[in-house]
Amino acid sequence: MNIGQPLRGLRTERQSSVPRRRSLHRVGGAVVRQGVVGYAAALAVPWYLSSERFGLPREWTSGVVALVGVWLLYSFAALPAFERARSFKPSVRLVEVLGVATFGLVIVGVGNSLTARQAMVSVLAGPAVLGVSAVAHRQVLRRTPTILVGQVESVRRLQKRWAGRKDVNVVATCSWRSPHELAPAGAVADHSFDEVVREVLSAVAERHATSVVIASGRAFTNPALRHLAWALQRAEVECLVVADMSDHVEYLSPRRVGDQIALSLRAPNDHLMSLVVKSVFDRLTAAVALVVLSPVLLVVAVMIRLGSRGPAIFRQERSGRDGRPFVMYKFRTMVVDAEARLVDLRRQNEGAGPLFKLRNDPRITPLGRVLRSLSIDELPQLFNVVKGDMSLVGPRPALPAETSQYSEWVWRRLHVRPGLTGLWQVSGRSALSWEDSIRMDLQYVNNWNLRLDLAILARTVRAVLSRDGAH
């Protein structure tokens, strides 16, 4: 497509065939998606508590129901359809208002009677029920029906990246084949852009989509895409933009500068306190794990010594934080002269990038193959964690020969301590490509926090038990 010509090559791909539902089912689906049941329960429970459970006077009960009812009506009208069922904002706002009001009543010296306390409990039941409803809807509606809009290359890239995710369900795509973005309004025939809007809105209605993602690096400045966003706003559908700035910049956050919106590139955990908390957590947890697992470590060490010639612990220099070398410990799973025999096996390398991997590596001992499949060979690295060379979670420590081949953007993965486990280890391990493993490592480096570490540790247990991608 050339600028000034009608938009060509527009296509809509639908991922699944969904039969037409009856009108009753459609209404029921809308009720679920907008959280109507939760809002009704948030009004019914306060009425029940004030009227039946506490037996408050009629005027008090009427006041409780009126206050909660007005709050629910305002919250329902103030939130867009895609946010009503899962938002905690209404509950938080009412609790904040009640807190300020209570503080004011205490200041002016209003009496704290039993009736007033019971009425307050009845009112607070409303946001509590709505909060529980939001949690339930986040589980039921955890896969957001999403439509991708943009150039075919960008849309396909996002489809591939989001395939198999549990929080995004791509139900349709609307894309065009062109080396250019959508032309500004007036540069293309009017009916061409109208076709884009019609295709997207039709797919939204047919697939009950609640989110539309525009995959375009120029969406913020392109008038045509802004018109599409306005149409989606009128339809109460969430409109998001994935700006193709970089696949490896995950810590963007919007910020107002003057009268403009800017994107902050500050990492979320770049302060000293986060580093201290992570270090203390890692060392204490590793120390406790060493004490608990000491009988297992001793038995494995004895079995290695009895099974083949050589020491039980294998020591190797690896690159630590910012490339500083350290000695990493592992249970020996190969023959003693494994390093000398590596040269002859280089041509059979099955690893991605600078990594050396060989599924049927002849240097691995029979016991070593079992230890690797269960990841038991990595347990001595708990000593590295206690020493401070490594963390429990982080990018895996690479060999200096590998890090010497890193480009500048890959070197970013060395800005944190290497880990005993990491994000890509629990997402496919050896089965992942080099690009995918680096992307996940950088995603972790840019967004790490203690909650993410705990989630990765929990997933590590599952990955080890399933032996996913281990060899």
Side-chain angles (χ1 to χ4, degrees), residues 140-209:
V140 174
L141 307 174
R142 62 183 178 274
R143 297 198 71 196
T144 305
T146 302
I147 295 174
L148 301 183
V149 179
Q151 283 185 337
V152 62
E153 296 81 6
S154 299
V155 167
R156 284 177 176 173
R157 186 163 57 248
L158 274 182
Q159 278 185 287
K160 181 180 178 181
R161 184 166 179 174
W162 291 351
R165 288 191 62 91
K166 296 181 179 179
D167 54 346
V168 179
N169 179 26
V170 178
V171 295
T173 67
C174 184
S175 57
W176 51 87
R177 296 183 182 277
S178 167
H180 304 285
E181 300 285 350
L182 272 176
V188 297
D190 289 339
H191 71 275
S192 297
F193 175 67
D194 289 342
E195 187 180 358
V196 177
V197 177
R198 284 197 303 270
E199 287 283 354
V200 175
L201 295 181
S202 175
V204 166
E206 183 178 346
R207 303 300 176 190
H208 305 291

Side-chain angles (χ1 to χ4, degrees), residues 7 11 32 51 139 340 372 399 414 460:
L7 184 66
R11 64 193 183 89
V32 172
S51 176
Q139 293 297 316
R372 286 191 171 203
L399 293 166
L414 299 178
T460 297

Side-chain angles (χ1 to χ4, degrees), residues 5 68 76 193 201 253 295 389 404 419 440 443 467:
Q5 294 182 347
V68 175
F76 194 87
F193 175 67
L201 295 181
S253 59
D389 297 328
S404 64
M440 290 187 179
Q443 181 181 343
R467 303 186 185 185

Side-chain angles (χ1 to χ4, degrees), residues 437-451:
S437 63
I438 290 298
R439 178 174 58 82
M440 290 187 179
D441 278 343
L442 297 185
Q443 181 181 343
Y444 173 80
V445 172
N446 294 334
N447 296 280
W448 70 266
N449 55 60
L450 190 57
R451 184 174 61 181

